[in-house]
């Protein structure tokens, strides 16, 4: 798929009905328009809907949650304002489940655990840091992790987010002493330039905004290094059944 002179992989649709569009976010494509001016997922999908359904004029597509630019995997968008409002409410009331897998340097201190920090984002530099609790502007960040596999140098972990802070997994894993493989921003001392960030949205789950039935989108990382250090069945199990 050629977009603005850049050859992008084809869109992978994970779920679609009259209210929702679930896709696999393309790695290194922004979730929404930013200062880079590069094509983003939101506008890419709007264009795709216009073409597939032969829709004239503007297409509505609501952004419900975000993934960092280097991150790929399951992502849901709303095709109506009512669906967007109800899904946003599910996010706010923590009825929106987000499960990730990540490859981190080293080995976490325990097989499973909970990480709790206060995070502060510098809007000018777009860098998030862990700060003492009570710091003005700081926001509580909570996640659970479970070690799915290890080798001599890396660990594959499953992460279940309980809050949705900017760069949360990346910063909290760094604070644990296990920065993510390929993270140029929060792991520059152990990663080489050009390495791809190994963080993947493997599952998002939520009550359907109309039917109220539980919907789960599943996406498995590509069979590329370092993901291919572990069997695909591990990712399938992690996506379908959170261990933590």
């Amino acid at each position: 798929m050629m977009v603005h002179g850049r050859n992008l992989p084809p869109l992978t649709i994970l779920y679609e009905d009259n209210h929702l569009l679930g896709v696999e976010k393309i790695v290194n494509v922004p979730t929404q328009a930013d200062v880079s001016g590069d094509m983003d997922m939101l506008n890419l999908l709007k264009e795709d809907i216009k073409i597939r359904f032969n829709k004239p004029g503007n297409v509505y597509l609501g952004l419900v949650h975000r993934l960092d630019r280097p991150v790929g995997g399951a992502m849901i968008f709303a095709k109506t304002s009512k669906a967007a409002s109800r899904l946003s409410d599910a996010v706010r009331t923590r009825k929106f489940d987000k499960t990730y897998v990540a490859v981190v340097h080293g080995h976490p201190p325990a097989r499973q655990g909970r990480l709790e920090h206060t995070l502060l984002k510098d809007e000018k530099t777009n860098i998030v840091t862990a700060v003492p609790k009570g710091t003005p502007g700081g926001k509580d960040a909570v996640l659970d992790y479970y070690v799915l596999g290890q080798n001599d140098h890396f660990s594959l972990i499953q992460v279940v987010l309980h809050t949705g802070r900017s760069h949360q997994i990346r910063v909290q894993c760094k604070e644990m002493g296990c920065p993510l493989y390929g993270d140029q921003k929060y792991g520059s001392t152990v990663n080489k330039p050009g390495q791809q960030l190994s963080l993947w949205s493997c599952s998002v789950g939520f009550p359907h905004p109309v039917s109220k039935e539980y919907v789960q989108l599943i996406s498995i990382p590509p069979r590329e290094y370092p993901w291919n250090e572990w069997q695909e069945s591990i990712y399938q199990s992690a996506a379908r059944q959170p261990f933590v």
Side-chain angles (χ1 to χ4, degrees):
M1 174 175 31
M2 184 66 72
V3 180
H4 291 187
R6 183 183 170 194
N7 194 23
L8 297 177
L11 287 170
T12 299
I13 295 176
L14 304 174
Y15 180 94
E16 187 171 20
D17 62 17
N18 291 333
H19 312 281
L20 305 172
L21 176 60
V23 301
E24 187 174 275
K25 181 189 170 292
I26 302 171
V27 169
N28 295 327
V29 173
T31 295
Q32 61 186 134
D34 61 15
V35 293
S36 71
D38 294 341
M39 177 53 83
D40 59 280
M41 289 300 299
L42 191 61
N43 283 302
L44 192 63
L45 292 171
K46 285 181 180 180
E47 195 64 30
D48 177 67
I49 290 172
K50 285 181 72 170
I51 294 169
R52 285 195 293 122
F53 295 98
N54 195 25
K55 285 184 174 259
N58 294 327
V59 170
Y60 178 85
L61 198 63
L63 187 64
V64 178
H65 64 123
R66 293 169 175 79
L67 293 175
D68 290 352
R69 181 171 181 148
V71 180
M75 193 169 189
I76 191 72
F77 294 82
K79 293 170 76 172
T80 68
S81 57
K82 180 183 285 187
S85 175
R86 289 179 177 175
L87 282 181
S88 295
D89 188 59
V91 171
R92 184 181 58 80
T93 57
R94 300 189 180 180
K95 295 174 183 173
F96 191 94
D97 303 321
K98 294 178 281 187
T99 304
Y100 296 78
V101 285
V103 178
V104 300
H105 286 269
H107 300 150
R111 182 78 179 176
Q112 65 184 88
R114 171 164 289 193
L115 302 181
E116 299 182 78
H117 295 92
T118 300
L119 301 184
L120 181 65
K121 182 177 182 179
D122 186 323
E123 297 294 344
K124 291 182 180 179
T125 62
N126 196 33
I127 291 176
V128 178
T129 52
V131 295
K133 193 171 183 64
T135 299
K139 295 181 178 180
D140 291 339
V142 183
L143 65 78
D144 290 328
Y145 74 87
Y146 182 88
V147 178
L148 299 169
Q150 293 179 326
N151 59 26
D152 290 344
H153 303 289
F154 305 116
S155 297
L156 174 67
I157 63 171
Q158 178 197 55
V159 176
V160 175
L161 280 181
H162 297 293
T163 54
R165 309 306 181 199
S166 183
H167 301 176
Q168 178 178 338
I169 297 173
R170 299 163 67 181
V171 177
Q172 289 195 275
C173 284
K174 174 194 173 186
E175 290 297 313
M176 180 172 63
C178 298
L180 270 62
Y181 176 90
D183 194 341
Q184 308 300 326
K185 183 169 284 191
Y186 300 105
S188 59
T189 58
V190 291
N191 292 308
K192 298 176 182 178
Q195 288 178 335
Q196 178 62 44
L197 178 71
S198 291
L199 178 60
W200 197 266
S201 171
C202 65
S203 171
V204 292
F206 48 87
H208 191 282
V210 177
S211 71
K212 308 304 180 188
E213 291 182 4
Y214 190 76
V215 176
Q216 186 181 34
L217 311 182
I218 288 175
S219 174
I220 304 303
R223 300 307 292 161
E224 300 171 356
Y225 186 84
W227 299 118
N228 58 9
E229 290 286 292
W230 293 274
Q231 297 177 347
E232 185 171 335
S233 59
I234 293 176
Y235 299 104
Q236 294 282 357
S237 296
R240 286 179 167 80
Q241 180 62 53
F243 293 94
V244 292

